[in-house]
Amino acid sequence: MKRFSSVLASTLFLISCGSDDNQPSETVDGSDPLTKSLVELGAAYGTESRQFLDIYKAESQCATPIYFDAHFNGGSTTSISSEIIADLNAEGITVISWESLTSVNTPEEVETGWSDAELMFQWVIDNAKTYNLDISNIIIGGSSRGSILSWVYGHRPNTNIKGLYFYNALPSTVWADPSWWLPTENVTAESPPIYFVYNREPGSSNNTTNPDIHDPNNGITIVTHFENLGIGDRATLVHSIGETDNNDRYQFLVDFALSVIETCP
């Protein structure tokens, strides 16, 4: 594991984030004790069948901070592991795993996902009291596809967004057409702290025997942009976790969350 820290037409342009779940993960299912209390599965945030979310509420006497998770291409809202949900809940943090298009492969599909994200976050804001949520204390996260769909909202000037946590973020294919979208353009001096985790090594997209579009160099580009804006101390990147004994994508999330949010006393 290496740490790097500073503390078109849709028919031609395919984004293809890939199903990057390249590690074993115990996902949530209906038989898990976690789903028997303080949980609401399939809450609709819009009128389309894809527009739903799962809520894993932390038990607390006060409003709870929120971690939002968006899955990789081909995943589902249950792709997040029971272990990380339990760990976050134990710290008083509610988890919301949200759905949109299950895979995004064209600019049009990405833009649909961005629109869904707007709708989803507004639904949570509107229903915060019902679910005992502290909407002034949120972390936005996701894997590959999830980082893309969360990116634009996550960089809005909004002091309620305390941090971003992404795994295999911004795959190389999304950089292919800067005239459509360039992720650095969303980053401003007001962007929140960000934590990148990558499975592979920098330059993996150019590996001749086993290429991987989830290249840490894409995250390093963002870290460099943070530095150029004078906020380099807000950006952290860890890569090559696939070469270690612990390739859990969420292994740094709890510590990161507790470093940027305020939990109930």
Side-chain angles (χ1 to χ4, degrees):
M1 175 182 69
K2 310 294 183 183
R3 185 182 298 269
F4 180 91
S5 175
S6 176
V7 215
L8 315 206
S10 63
T11 55
L12 298 177
F13 180 70
L14 293 181
I15 291 169
S16 188
C17 306
S19 179
D20 66 314
D21 191 19
N22 44 24
Q23 62 183 50
S25 175
E26 180 186 341
T27 57
V28 179
D29 62 61
S31 64
D32 195 293
L34 209 56
T35 64
K36 294 180 180 176
S37 65
L38 298 172
V39 172
E40 181 167 339
L41 303 179
Y45 66 81
T47 58
E48 301 292 334
S49 60
R50 68 175 185 274
Q51 295 171 334
F52 68 90
L53 49 82
D54 298 340
I55 306 175
Y56 301 90
K57 294 177 285 183
E59 193 167 12
S60 176
Q61 296 302 310
C62 62
T64 62
I66 316 158
Y67 168 70
F68 292 88
D69 192 79
H71 64 76
F72 48 86
N73 256 12
S76 71
T77 55
T78 62
S79 294
I80 186 170
S81 71
S82 297
E83 288 91 343
I84 191 58
I85 295 173
D87 289 347
L88 289 168
N89 283 174
E91 298 293 345
I93 302 169
T94 288
V95 176
I96 294 179
S97 181
W98 65 283
E99 190 58 277
S100 175
L101 298 172
T102 55
S103 293
V104 292
N105 298 296
T106 67
E108 289 78 11
E109 289 172 345
V110 170
E111 290 167 11
T112 294
W114 287 339
S115 295
D116 283 351
E118 296 281 348
L119 192 63
M120 185 277 299
F121 283 111
Q122 188 59 52
W123 183 93
V124 171
I125 291 168
D126 293 343
N127 290 275
K129 188 172 182 180
T130 299
Y131 295 101
N132 194 34
L133 303 175
D134 180 1
I135 55 173
S136 69
N137 245 334
I138 69 175
I139 296 173
I140 298 174
S143 300
S144 190
R145 158 200 172 275
S147 70
I148 298 168
L149 299 194
S150 305
W151 192 259
V152 174
Y153 191 93
H155 288 280
R156 293 281 172 78
N158 183 349
T159 57
N160 295 334
I161 302 171
K162 303 303 184 185
L164 307 173
Y165 184 94
F166 294 130
Y167 174 75
N168 280 353
L170 304 174
S172 297
T173 44
V174 305
W175 302 82
D177 183 5
S179 66
W180 166 62
W181 178 48
L182 192 61
T184 50
E185 293 179 347
N186 301 110
V187 179
T188 71
E190 286 72 48
S191 288
I194 191 165
Y195 204 113
F196 290 113
V197 181
Y198 286 88
N199 184 66
R200 290 286 298 275
E201 73 288 349
S204 62
S205 59
N206 296 318
N207 186 296
T208 56
T209 58
N210 185 24
D212 188 338
I213 61 175
H214 303 99
D215 192 329
N217 282 336
N218 300 323
I220 290 172
T221 296
I222 300 298
V223 172
T224 300
H225 199 60
F226 268 61
E227 292 173 339
N228 292 340
L229 290 170
I231 56 172
D233 59 337
R234 298 184 203 164
T236 300
L237 187 148
V238 177
H239 64 77
S240 305
I241 66 168
E243 298 175 9
T244 72
D245 293 333
N246 183 0
N247 63 351
D248 178 9
R249 71 188 65 190
Y250 298 110
Q251 61 184 284
F252 309 103
L253 176 54
V254 173
D255 286 345
F256 173 67
L258 294 177
S259 74
V260 295
I261 62 172
E262 297 178 5
T263 56
C264 185

